[in-house]
Amino acid sequence: MKRIAVLTSGGDAPGMNAAVRSVVRSSINRGLEVYGISYGYLGLIRGDIKKMSLSDVGDIIQRGGTSLHSARCPEFKDESVQEIAVKILKEYHIEGLVVIGGDGTFRGATALENHGIKTIAIPATIDNDIPITESSIGFDSALNTVIEAVDRIRDTATSHERTFIIEVMGRDSGMLALYSGLGSGAESVLIPEEPYDFEKITSKIKRGMERGKAHSIILVAEGVMSAEECSKLLSKELDIETRISVLGHIQRGGRPSAKDRILASRFGHEAVTLLLNDYSGEMVYLKNNTISHVSYDTVLSEKKELDTSLIEIINELSI
Ligand code: ADP
């Protein structure tokens, strides 16, 4: 293998830049030519491709987002569009492709595999909803961002003795809400994976009020309901003033955490090693602080396990 390429696709996540840097520098330092494809699969079918040098990825390890940009490209599900991508990769003599993204991105890579293109995937999503890997690039950074935001909200919640309902990202996955709930000391967390018991939430607030505690933090993953809906439901049950906060896109942005930079650097390095050793159709993953790899088929057929026993800990620790 002489020439490979790298792209970022789907939702951006802090640490994607560190992964691109790692892929580019690991490749060049091992004698490969490496091309950067901008705007994910959309850039691939448009031929938005350029050769990368060591310095092209300088000064990006600390930046959030992705300097290669990302884009949604729904038409990539079409066979005819995939064939355009294959043609372009062949024109550029690109023999291997590293894709950085979430499960949608891996489906795109699977399609390329079916057309004979060698690909390796790096999991990157703030939702951390990719099975098998303990962590995906971006999760730790987003978690820290959410916890910092909740800390700030808690200051005002305590001062004004209010109940705050904070909406956290996570349409199908409650991992971010669950971990940030535990890390920020929230009173209750609502996630899509677990049926919620509103009665329990309101009686906890009531018990707190009876003891003189006048503020509470409730985290709700956006997939369950909006903070506004949650506030309306709560107001029906309790005569308290609530405030809502929708954290929104601040959760995606910002400097990647140390953990994400290190993970991204390790994943990128491993992805290049795998291509050089003739592996393809595999995702790199982290388990017990060791990097390994697993086939796309396995990743895409499994469901991420969420440790819902953490909810019990949240309930026990919040009084
Ligand atoms: P993520 O990678 O973060 O899950 P998306 O689900 O948006 O994000 O997927 C990223 C891109 O991957 C899509 O815009 C599309 O180009 C490609 N993709 C997603 N699903 C498929 C599929 N079934 N077949 C081919 N390409 C796909």
Side-chain angles (χ1 to χ4, degrees):
M1 188 164 289
K2 290 198 174 67
R3 186 178 288 180
I4 71 161
V6 57
L7 61 79
T8 53
S9 155
D12 63 297
M16 278 183 159
N17 276 327
V20 171
R21 171 181 179 271
S22 174
V23 170
V24 168
R25 294 202 171 161
S26 302
S27 301
I28 295 173
N29 287 328
R30 286 189 264 173
L32 290 171
E33 283 184 336
V34 58
Y35 282 67
I37 301 172
S38 296
Y39 302 101
Y41 296 122
L42 186 67
L44 173 55
I45 58 175
R46 287 182 182 164
D48 199 342
I49 301 173
K50 77 167 184 107
K51 192 172 173 186
M52 306 285 277
S53 69
L54 291 171
S55 59
D56 281 335
V57 289
D59 200 27
I60 63 167
I61 193 169
Q62 78 281 22
R63 294 186 204 283
T66 162
S67 53
L68 280 181
H69 302 281
S70 187
R72 310 273 173 189
C73 179
E75 61 271 35
F76 204 69
K77 289 179 187 158
D78 298 346
E79 189 86 18
S80 59
V81 177
Q82 294 160 10
E83 279 162 11
I84 297 171
V86 172
K87 192 168 152 269
I88 289 177
L89 287 168
K90 291 203 165 137
E91 271 169 24
Y92 276 84
H93 302 289
I94 290 166
E95 296 161 275
L97 175 65
V98 177
V99 301
I100 304 168
D103 63 334
T105 300
F106 304 166
R107 284 178 215 283
T110 304
L112 291 174
E113 283 284 324
N114 293 339
H115 286 92
I117 303 290
K118 291 190 165 142
T119 67
I120 295 291
I122 297 180
T125 151
I126 65 161
D127 291 334
N128 205 17
D129 58 351
I130 307 292
I132 299 168
T133 190
E134 283 171 357
S135 197
S136 295
I137 296 170
F139 175 65
D140 184 65
S141 307
L143 182 57
N144 280 291
T145 302
V146 173
I147 288 176
E148 193 189 331
V150 176
D151 286 350
R152 287 167 191 253
I153 291 169
R154 181 183 284 282
D155 287 346
T156 178
T158 317
S159 305
H160 288 273
E161 304 196 321
R162 276 181 186 136
T163 293
F164 262 86
I165 299 155
I166 304 172
E167 188 180 312
V168 177
M169 276 184 175
R171 226 164 275 148
D172 306 306
S173 163
M175 184 85 96
L176 189 58
L178 185 60
Y179 277 69
S180 47
L182 189 56
S184 65
E187 272 68 28
S188 303
V189 177
L190 282 71
I191 56 170
E193 292 86 345
E194 274 285 293
Y196 59 87
D197 182 346
F198 228 75
E199 170 68 34
K200 259 192 187 166
I201 297 173
T202 52
S203 57
K204 185 189 274 184
I205 296 175
K206 272 187 207 154
R207 277 200 315 275
M209 283 159 70
E210 279 156 21
R211 279 199 336 267
K213 176 179 173 174
H215 68 273
S216 286
I217 302 277
I218 300 171
L219 292 192
V220 54
E222 63 184 338
V224 179
M225 67 177 97
S226 69
E228 191 157 359
E229 282 172 275
C230 186
S231 161
K232 279 184 190 149
L233 284 177
L234 208 62
S235 308
K236 270 192 203 157
E237 306 286 328
L238 287 172
D239 183 25
I240 54 164
E241 210 180 337
T242 58
R243 289 286 185 273
I244 61 169
S245 180
V246 181
L247 298 186
H249 281 83
I250 64 159
Q251 295 163 92
R252 273 196 193 286
R255 293 160 67 87
S257 67
K259 219 170 161 182
D260 275 333
R261 296 180 199 196
I262 292 163
L263 182 65
S265 301
R266 293 177 75 189
F267 274 167
H269 189 266
E270 180 68 11
V272 174
T273 305
L274 288 173
L275 281 176
L276 280 171
N277 287 296
D278 216 25
Y279 283 96
S280 71
E282 303 266 312
M283 178 193 82
V284 293
Y285 72 91
L286 178 79
K287 192 166 188 183
N288 299 330
N289 202 25
T290 302
I291 308 285
S292 194
H293 53 95
V294 59
S295 73
Y296 296 162
D297 285 351
T298 307
V299 177
L300 293 172
S301 64
E302 288 199 16
K303 209 174 148 33
K304 181 86 171 182
E305 291 289 330
L306 185 62
D307 184 1
T308 47
S309 70
L310 296 180
I311 294 184
E312 291 314 313
I313 303 183
I314 291 172
N315 286 334
E316 249 186 82
L317 299 188
S318 64
I319 50 169

